[in-house]
Structure formats: structure tokens, C-alpha cells
Amino acid sequence: MRLSRYFLPVLKETPSEAQIASHRLMLRAGMVKQASAGIYSWLPLGFKVLRKLENIVHEEQMRAGHIPMLMPTIQSADLWRESGRYDDYGEEMLRIRDRHDRDMLYGPTNEELITDIFRAHVGSYKDLPLTLYHIQWKFRDEIRPRFGVMRGREFYMKDGYNFDLTKEDALHAYNRHLVSYLRTYERMGLQAIPMRADGGPIGGDYTHEFLVLAETGESEVFYDSEITDLRFGEREIDYDSVEQCQAVLEEFTSRYARTDETHDEAIFNEVPEARRRSARGIEVGQIFYFGTKYSEPLGATVQGPDGKPVPVHMGSHGIGVSRLVGAIIEASHDENGIIWPEGVTPFHAGIVNLKQGDAEADAACEALYASLTALGLEPLYDDRDERAGGKFATMDLIGLPWRITVGPRGLKNGVVELTSRKTGESEEMPPEKAIEKIAEIYAPHHRSVAVEPMQQRSFHTWL
Ligand code: P5A
């Protein structure tokens, strides 16, 4: 993309309504624009990051064997009356009446709708296990929407639902989600710690939230500092293996880590004092096991091996995709702007032409642009007729991990400059070498998805 042809409405001034860094930077970098309280338009740069996160979520869900679909945003109130949640959900539910006076609502979550689909189409235990998911906009009429996309009213969520014959099978689905979430967040450059939490309006008393530690986080958390040393890393996992998934769950949840809702001072005090931490965190996901809470009232049963109908055991599992954009920035920025982790950056590298209009500099930039593009990478070329300082400030603000600076003086010596946004370190090298380095850096993020051929096909149709 050439910046002269892009739509990147960066702001010079810091918007006064933004209280935290991620909100400020998303507005300044022209990623979002508020449409009304807690509701945002995603401008091209923000939309690109949102799509990158969405793709990572799809890849990791399919890798775990979960099946993508799409449910609507508007739901009928009738199903929610069947589960008893229509009245329970309270003011956060946006209720709508259509022209026929039917009660509708903008879905805050989809347990009822998916259970209705299940009961209509699945009748035998032989069709289990089954996990369906979608990534769709949700609406919660939060009393205090704030911090930009972090606590929105309209927000983008991946929500998945597992259906199993027994509690044991459903707990495997729970563990499988925990493993796939650990992978998902690490690919986004984040450490998200699973912590025992409260079921809230979704229900069940077995649930973990995933928290990114950050001073500006809305949740108060208590944990054993040892937990921050754990990494999922590159390990291979068989998602069908009950033992392997259970082992990961045990590794990541055996140390004390709880949100304030479930915090227990007496148990916490058993952790050696030097390792006891209380801090704040951003909740970027939550997994639940709630048994037959929805399947019983909605009559979602299957015929068991003995021919008798049994209600299925269920759980639901959510990732806050739009909130993650803010969480990543909160975890990765400095005084000059955003610093995107390589796995989610909207463009792979920026090209800054120090002397637009100089034949040699223009030609070198065009050649770099063409080479990066040919490698399947997306460069952002600042081809505007602006002074160098302004171009650098924009690149720092929008946070691309790598910048190639091209100027007539360097070109005389056959070099360009490659700069890391994270460390600020620059190195001069011939243009071909810069391309080679960037290609090497991004190679791991371009790995093909190791999923079944069938799933791989459906995955590719997503891109
Ligand atoms: C699990 C999936 C659920 O709704 N039902 C379907 C379950 N869980 S949850 O914890 O309530 O939400 C899942 C994740 O969505 C994000 N989230 C939000 N993001 C932005 N603005 C909001 N107002 C908001 N509310 C929830 C969180 O990341 C949460 O973990």
C-alpha cells in the first residue's frame, strides 16, 4: 500500500476523551472512530488488525477441531424465555420490538441460539462430540462503556459451544479450549494467564478467565508469580488426547491465580510471600463448563447408547477479538506510539523515502516495494512529499515492527537503513539484505496451518 493512496487519518493532538494509552493511540493512529458511546467504526488500519486477529482465532479453532459457522446478531426473545435468561439478563440486553410487535434482542451471547440449532438437528450420541463456533458482533448495553474498544457496547467476539454426552467428555472440551487459547494469545504476542473466575450471567461454577496483566486493566487479580514464567511455546499437541490436554491444564492452572470474584485470602496466604502478587488485568477471554444449564430447559437431548434420551453436557468459550486490539496495544507501546508484535501487524514493514521525487530514491523504494510484495508481504510505502521527521513520527505512531529508510546519501554507498520499532536500533545494509532479513523474520508467521485437509479447505475459504 502506498500511503498517498491510503486512508490513514492520523491525529496530531491527543484526544481528550481517551484515558488510557491504547484508546489514545487507536484514535491518534486513525484505527477507529467513535460512532456513538461504546460503538466504533473500524477505519482501514484498525480493520486490518481486527482481521489479522480474527484469522489467528480461526486458524487455532480449526486446528483444535472446532467448526466455524455464523449466527445472526438479532435474536428472538422466545428462546431466551425458554432458558429463563430473558428476565435474568437485565439492563445489559438491548431489547428491540419489530413491526409485528415481536420481542427481539441484539445478542449479547449465543448459548440459546446454538442450543436451538443443536436440538433441531442432532439426535444421537454418535454425532458427538461437537464444537461449533462463530465470530460475530455482540451488543451489551454496558452502563459505563469506556477505554475505547476495550469495554464497548458493540464488540466482536469469538464464541464457541461444545456438546458432549458426559461431563467427562465436556471437561475434555474445556481443556482443549484452554490449550487452544494459550496458543492463540501467544501467537498474538501476548501472555494471557488463565485464572479461576465466576460464571456470572453465563453460568456454571467451573470457569477460567484469561488475563493480560496491565495496570489499566479493569479486573483485580491475585496470583503466584511463578505462573508468569510459563509459556506454551512451540509444543505439538494432539487435541484429541485427553491426557495431553489435561496435562496442559494442570500445568497452567495448578498455581494460585484468581480474579477478585473467587479470590480466597486463606488459600492465597499459602503461597510463599515473595511470590504473592496482586495486580490488574485485561480479560481477553473466558471458558465455561455449565453442564445441562441450557440443554435441560431447551430440551437438547440425544439418544444415549442405551437408547434413552439424555440432555447434553455443554460449555461455552469466548475470545474478545475487538478488545484484544486494545489489549495488545496496552501491552506493547511506548511514548511515540504502538509497537505491533510481528504476528498481528497491519503491514509487515514501512518504507520511508527521505527524498520523494529524487529519481534514485524513488526507484530504490519502488524496487523494495515490489520485492516485499512478491514475497507475499505487505509493505506500507510512505511516498508522500513530506519532511522526514513527519514520516518517522507517523511510522512510529502506527507501530510497524520494521522500517526501511531510503535516502540519496545512503544509496550512494549502496545501502538503506533497517530499523526495529521495538529496540530503535538501526543497521545499514544493501537493499537485498534488508529484504532477506524481513523475509526471515516473518517466515514463522507464514507457516501453513497443520490441520486436516478437509478443515484446511474450509480454512482457506475464510481468507
Ligand atoms: C463465552 C462465549 C461469554 O459471553 N458466552 C459465549 C460466553 N463470555 S464472556 O466472558 O462474557 O465474554 C467473552 C469475552 O468477550 C469480551 N467482552 C468484551 N469485549 C469488549 N467489550 C465488552 N463490553 C465486552 N464484554 C465481554 C471479553 O474478552 C470476554 O472475555
Side-chain angles (χ1 to χ4, degrees):
M1 180 56 65
R2 290 159 207 277
L3 199 43
S4 63
R5 297 186 198 171
Y6 200 44
F7 181 64
L8 185 72
V10 299
L11 306 178
K12 292 245 153 46
E13 306 299 323
T14 299
S16 58
E17 74 267 29
Q19 299 161 30
I20 60 170
S22 57
H23 188 196
R24 259 193 315 270
L25 290 170
M26 285 182 77
L27 293 170
R28 284 196 52 216
M31 293 177 66
V32 288
K33 180 178 186 318
Q34 185 176 303
S36 62
I39 304 179
Y40 288 85
S41 299
W42 290 77
L43 307 181
L45 192 74
F47 180 59
K48 232 167 175 312
V49 177
L50 192 67
R51 278 283 175 266
K52 287 239 165 161
L53 300 188
E54 184 179 354
N55 279 337
I56 292 176
V57 172
H58 272 303
E59 283 189 12
E60 293 306 328
Q61 285 303 301
M62 290 189 206
R63 197 195 299 275
H66 306 158
I67 303 168
M69 61 179 293
L70 186 61
M71 288 175 270
T73 53
I74 306 287
Q75 304 181 22
S76 157
D78 293 344
L79 278 176
W80 289 69
R81 291 202 176 96
E82 277 188 63
S83 72
R85 274 210 296 184
Y86 190 60
D87 294 324
D88 290 355
Y89 213 91
E91 302 254 49
E92 272 193 20
M93 182 185 279
L94 181 65
R95 293 154 208 260
I96 306 164
R97 185 156 293 162
D98 72 9
R99 62 163 71 190
H100 304 294
D101 259 353
R102 278 187 292 248
D103 289 323
M104 311 292 285
L105 55 98
Y106 195 127
T109 176
N110 284 49
E111 280 79 9
E112 283 79 358
L113 201 55
I114 196 83
T115 308
D116 181 52
I117 292 167
F118 181 90
R119 73 180 170 185
H121 297 293
V122 183
S124 164
Y125 76 97
K126 291 181 188 148
D127 298 323
L128 305 181
L130 179 66
T131 295
L132 299 168
Y133 78 93
H134 73 161
I135 306 183
Q136 176 63 293
W137 294 94
K138 305 286 184 293
F139 197 96
R140 293 183 186 171
D141 204 353
E142 302 275 351
I143 188 161
R144 233 170 271 108
R146 58 180 190 158
F147 299 162
V149 301
M150 210 73 109
R151 178 163 297 279
R153 293 199 296 163
E154 189 185 50
F155 61 97
Y156 206 38
M157 189 207 286
K158 170 260 156 180
D159 41 325
Y161 305 85
N162 68 282
F163 300 90
D164 288 278
L165 181 61
T166 63
K167 176 174 180 179
E168 207 182 23
D169 292 348
L171 290 176
H172 171 58
Y174 186 94
N175 299 348
R176 199 174 60 227
H177 278 88
L178 182 128
V179 177
S180 77
Y181 279 25
L182 290 171
R183 269 193 74 105
T184 303
Y185 297 123
E186 282 193 15
R187 279 189 61 185
M188 296 176 182
L190 286 174
Q191 181 176 35
I193 303 172
M195 301 202 181
R196 275 306 286 263
D198 181 73
I202 306 296
D205 50 18
Y206 187 49
T207 173
H208 285 88
E209 284 182 7
F210 288 77
L211 285 119
V212 173
L213 297 175
E215 274 169 30
T216 49
E218 290 193 287
S219 315
E220 193 182 7
V221 297
F222 301 86
Y223 60 95
D224 176 341
S225 65
E226 273 192 358
I227 205 161
T228 57
D229 298 333
L230 298 175
R231 296 287 177 278
F232 186 78
E234 290 295 313
R235 60 182 102 174
E236 287 297 323
I237 190 114
D238 173 1
Y239 282 104
D240 289 331
S241 162
V242 171
E243 295 72 29
Q244 286 186 27
C245 292
Q246 175 72 26
V248 174
L249 173 109
E250 281 168 16
E251 179 184 344
F252 280 83
T253 62
S254 59
R255 292 171 185 79
Y256 192 94
R258 295 189 184 198
T259 62
D260 56 353
E261 302 144 345
T262 55
H263 178 55
D264 184 323
E265 202 63 33
I267 308 178
F268 189 46
N269 285 338
E270 288 167 19
V271 176
E273 198 176 349
R275 299 202 324 241
R276 266 180 247 154
R277 298 280 187 283
S278 78
R280 302 199 70 81
I282 303 167
E283 179 205 328
V284 292
Q286 187 164 1
I287 54 177
F288 301 81
Y289 164 72
F290 41 65
T292 57
K293 173 175 170 172
Y294 299 92
S295 56
E296 264 188 87
L298 272 77
T301 57
V302 291
Q303 205 170 48
D306 58 2
K308 292 198 187 112
V310 281
V312 286
H313 284 257
M314 290 174 59
S316 70
H317 315 277
I319 294 182
V321 181
S322 50
R323 174 178 288 180
L324 272 164
V325 180
I328 292 168
I329 298 174
E330 215 52 53
S332 184
H333 69 272
D334 64 15
E335 64 283 2
N336 297 322
I338 302 166
I339 306 172
W340 290 115
E342 271 129 10
V344 304
T345 183
F347 293 97
H348 298 101
I351 302 171
V352 168
N353 188 343
L354 292 177
K355 198 156 187 208
Q356 204 67 43
D358 174 275
E360 240 187 288
D362 289 1
C365 288
E366 291 294 340
L368 283 165
Y369 189 87
S371 306
L372 288 167
T373 307
L375 287 168
L377 297 170
E378 277 187 290
L380 181 67
Y381 171 24
D382 192 343
D383 58 343
R384 297 167 309 159
D385 193 9
E386 274 231 7
R387 59 185 182 83
K391 289 189 176 186
F392 289 148
T394 301
M395 284 294 175
D396 282 353
L397 175 63
I398 68 171
L400 310 184
W402 297 94
R403 187 187 78 205
I404 309 175
T405 310
V406 180
R409 205 177 316 150
L411 288 176
K412 278 210 173 71
N413 302 321
V415 294
V416 296
E417 193 182 58
L418 183 64
T419 307
S420 155
R421 174 67 183 86
K422 196 167 171 181
T423 65
E425 278 164 26
S426 291
E427 209 186 319
E428 289 195 331
M429 59 189 79
E432 315 77 65
K433 183 87 190 142
I435 302 276
E436 208 176 284
K437 273 203 125 169
I438 290 175
E440 234 167 68
I441 289 160
Y442 285 105
H445 301 285
H446 276 230
R447 263 194 316 251
S448 71
V449 189
V451 292
E452 299 291 313
M454 259 286 287
Q455 291 170 333
Q456 196 152 10
R457 263 207 299 282
S458 59
F459 164 69
H460 282 303
T461 61
W462 268 102
L463 285 179

